[in-house]
Amino acid sequence: MTALDVWRGDRPSLLSSWEPFSRDFDRMFSDMERSLGSLRGWSANGPEFVPACDIEETESEYHLSMDVPGLEKDDIRIEVVGNSVSISGERKQEKEEKGANQYRLERSYGKFNRTFTLPDGVKEENIEANYDNGVLCLTLPKSEKSKAKRISVKSGKPGFVAKLAGKGKNKAANE
């Protein structure tokens, strides 16, 4: 039996003995993933705070919206350095109750720092940030040279091709 036979589905009896173990192993990881949810945003100490972010583009600007509930506007730091913008902050966990049993921890806490590369042509001096109802919104205006320009399509020969064609005729006529 060769490796090719195994890939085609012809299993030797030795590999057949792995099946129950393999199924149990797969089930264990499926159960763990289902109980933890997405593994993104988890560490050995529990869930980490990784704010979700949406980025949109309009004709004149970029919009960045980030979910940061539980923070005050003064807890958010935004820095533009070179061609990147960094957003950082910390959501602190409040533990007041003594003697309470904690059965489940799904909300995430801690420091976060998200950095995004700015596209060419953003007017850094005109970036605006607003925070309302747990959502941070950044408006990144485009410079004039980075805005799309519409070029109209004309019929007929292009100008430089017509000039070339005209020079060729004159040259042939002169010879």
Side-chain angles (χ1 to χ4, degrees):
M1 181 80 42
T2 67
L4 182 59
D5 296 325
V6 173
W7 282 106
R8 282 192 302 206
D10 301 328
R11 296 172 173 235
S13 60
L14 180 62
L15 288 179
S16 298
S17 63
W18 275 114
E19 278 187 66
F21 177 77
S22 177
R23 277 193 305 252
D24 290 341
F25 202 70
D26 289 343
R27 192 176 314 125
M28 178 182 74
F29 278 106
S30 294
D31 291 346
M32 184 170 46
E33 186 177 4
R34 195 170 32 255
S35 65
L36 293 177
S38 172
L39 294 179
R40 180 180 177 264
W42 280 81
S43 72
N45 299 327
E48 291 181 342
F49 184 40
V50 182
C53 182
D54 294 336
I55 300 174
E56 298 174 350
E57 178 181 8
T58 67
E59 188 175 314
S60 60
E61 55 200 12
Y62 299 96
H63 296 278
L64 185 147
S65 302
M66 182 178 285
D67 291 340
V68 285
L71 271 71
E72 298 294 326
K73 70 179 184 85
D74 295 332
D75 296 334
I76 302 168
R77 183 177 177 152
I78 303 168
E79 292 181 327
V80 176
V81 179
N83 67 337
S84 64
V85 61
S86 292
I87 305 167
S88 59
E90 181 176 8
R91 185 160 70 181
K92 297 177 181 154
Q93 184 176 12
E94 298 174 15
K95 287 189 174 182
E96 292 289 325
E97 293 185 43
K98 303 278 187 211
N101 293 327
Q102 188 174 34
Y103 293 107
R104 189 171 183 97
L105 177 64
E106 289 186 353
R107 292 185 294 163
S108 50
Y109 300 92
K111 294 180 181 180
F112 72 92
N113 186 355
R114 304 270 325 252
T115 301
F116 303 92
T117 302
L118 295 172
D120 291 335
V122 169
K123 291 183 182 178
E124 297 172 9
E125 64 278 0
N126 293 351
I127 295 175
E128 292 183 13
N130 295 298
Y131 182 68
D132 184 42
N133 216 16
V135 179
L136 173 68
C137 295
L138 264 65
T139 302
L140 305 122
K142 295 179 181 180
S143 66
E144 288 300 317
K145 63 182 174 183
S146 69
K147 292 180 184 176
K149 293 176 181 62
R150 184 165 184 141
I151 308 297
S152 62
V153 179
K154 300 174 185 173
S155 59
K157 291 184 179 179
F160 77 94
V161 173
K163 288 178 185 175
L164 288 176
K167 286 181 184 177
K169 287 180 184 176
N170 291 341
K171 193 174 188 182
N174 291 338
E175 293 178 357

